[in-house]
Amino acid sequence: MAELLEAVMLICFGLSWPLNAYKNYKAGTAVGTSWQFIALITAGYFAGIAAKFVSGNLNWVLAVYFINVICIAANWLVYFRNRRLDARRCSELVVEEETLVVA
C-alpha cells in the first residue's frame, strides 16, 4: 500500500512538469522561472531514487521517479532555451539602441 501511495504522490506531482514545460516554452522567456527551484526539485528526485537503491527497495515506483526526472529534464531544456532567447532579444535591443544613438 505504501508503494501505491508513493506512486500516486509522484504521479500527481509529476504531472505538473510537462504542463510547466509547455507553458514556459510557449512564453518564450525565462523571466519568472527560478532555476533554483528546478534544481531543488531535481535534487529531490535524485534523493528519492538514491533512497530506493540504499534501502534495497527496488520496485516499480522507481520507474515513476525516472519518468519524473525525464519531465524535469524537459523543464531544464526549456529554461536554457528561453535564457538563450532572452539573451538574443537583449542583444538585439542593445544594437537597436546603439543604432538610434548613432543616427
Side-chain angles (χ1 to χ4, degrees), residues 4 14 16 21 23 28 41 46 55 59 69 73 76 89 97 99 102:
L4 179 61
S16 65
K23 178 189 72 90
I41 297 299
F46 282 114
S55 71
N59 55 39
V69 166
W76 278 113
R89 278 190 292 271
E97 287 177 2
T99 304
V102 172

Side-chain angles (χ1 to χ4, degrees), residues 25-95:
Y25 182 84
K26 294 288 281 182
T29 182
V31 173
T33 303
S34 170
W35 68 264
Q36 296 92 338
F37 179 73
I38 300 172
L40 282 172
I41 297 299
T42 303
Y45 282 131
F46 282 114
I49 291 168
K52 289 290 192 191
F53 282 98
V54 169
S55 71
N57 190 15
L58 301 176
N59 55 39
W60 61 272
V61 178
L62 190 59
V64 182
Y65 275 104
F66 284 117
I67 291 168
N68 283 353
V69 166
I70 291 167
C71 291
I72 199 77
N75 277 266
W76 278 113
L77 292 172
V78 170
Y79 171 75
F80 287 116
R81 168 207 176 248
N82 286 350
R83 290 260 324 235
R84 199 170 45 253
L85 292 175
D86 289 341
R88 185 179 305 146
R89 278 190 292 271
C90 185
S91 67
E92 288 171 358
L93 237 170
V94 168
V95 169

